[in-house]
Amino acid sequence: RIYNPADEIFLYLSHVFPLDFMVMGIIVLYIWIASVFGIVCLGIRFLCFNVYQLRTRKSMPQALLVLCNVMSYILLALCMALLTIAPNYTAFGSQTVKNADGTPGRCSLDRNDSVSPCRVSVISAFFTRIAVAMPVFSVAYFFANWAFICVFTLVFAHCLFHHQRQPYLEAVAECEEEE
């Protein structure tokens, strides 16, 4: 069994009722705000082509509809990511079960007993059914996660050693000055 620090932190925080929800809410809110900020700064793009620009009171209605659609996909991806980052927490939360010797233990995905009173969360059951019914998507998701980790690591290492100015962010600053 591989140690998962994010899962352990959320399971530890779940003992103090609102603390785990507050930390999860802060993380989701941060990702949501960062996503909206990135889309507004760069505009809505397809591949590398700019499709819509988002500006205060100057955006087309179609751009706002596409923005809502993109944000719903980001939330779907966030749900999938939470199941990967903290699987035991998102599957069982703070549920406990008595072990064979009578001591309390956590509900876990590693438990093999079929008579366990642990109930899986709705979101975990939903994505598990999808994964079992269509294993191609599970394999693609697994390799997409590793591709993301590799690309993120390479880009992060590149940005550590090469300090270049991003011209697209300067264009956004010029747009803000015009308003």
Side-chain angles (χ1 to χ4, degrees):
R1 179 168 130 85
I2 298 173
Y3 179 72
N4 185 346
D7 204 17
E8 293 298 323
I9 288 170
F10 277 116
L11 287 171
Y12 180 74
L13 291 175
S14 68
H15 295 298
V16 181
F17 167 63
L19 200 55
D20 59 338
F21 290 131
M22 289 183 349
V23 170
M24 184 68 73
I26 289 169
I27 291 171
V28 169
L29 190 63
Y30 170 74
I31 292 171
W32 178 267
I33 290 171
S35 300
V36 169
F37 179 76
I39 292 171
V40 168
C41 283
L42 298 176
I44 297 173
R45 297 174 181 237
F46 180 72
L47 299 176
C48 62
F49 302 108
N50 196 2
V51 179
Y52 295 112
Q53 285 288 58
L54 296 170
R55 293 187 184 150
T56 307
R57 299 183 190 253
K58 295 181 183 176
S59 298
M60 296 174 58
Q62 295 87 350
L64 297 177
L65 286 173
V66 171
L67 174 68
C68 291
N69 198 12
V70 167
M71 293 310 293
S72 66
Y73 283 128
I74 288 173
L75 283 177
L76 179 65
L78 185 60
C79 287
M80 291 289 293
L82 289 176
L83 287 168
T84 305
I85 293 169
N88 286 323
Y89 176 75
T90 53
F92 299 109
S94 61
Q95 294 182 49
T96 57
V97 64
K98 289 193 177 189
N99 294 328
D101 58 355
T103 60
R106 292 185 192 154
C107 292
S108 172
L109 295 171
D110 298 333
R111 296 182 80 85
N112 292 331
D113 52 349
S114 60
V115 294
S116 176
C118 298
R119 297 201 48 174
V120 179
S121 68
V122 174
I123 193 79
S124 178
F126 175 71
F127 282 113
T128 302
R129 285 187 193 134
I130 292 173
V132 169
M134 296 175 275
V136 171
F137 292 119
S138 298
V139 172
Y141 179 70
F142 175 78
F143 286 113
N145 274 336
W146 278 106
F148 172 77
I149 290 169
C150 293
V151 169
F152 178 83
T153 305
L154 291 173
V155 169
F156 181 72
H158 175 74
C159 289
L160 274 177
F161 300 114
H162 295 39
H163 298 288
Q164 289 183 331
R165 296 185 56 92
Q166 290 84 13
Y168 54 84
L169 291 180
E170 291 174 1
V172 171
E174 291 172 4
C175 291
E176 291 174 357
E177 290 174 4
E178 291 175 5
E179 294 176 8

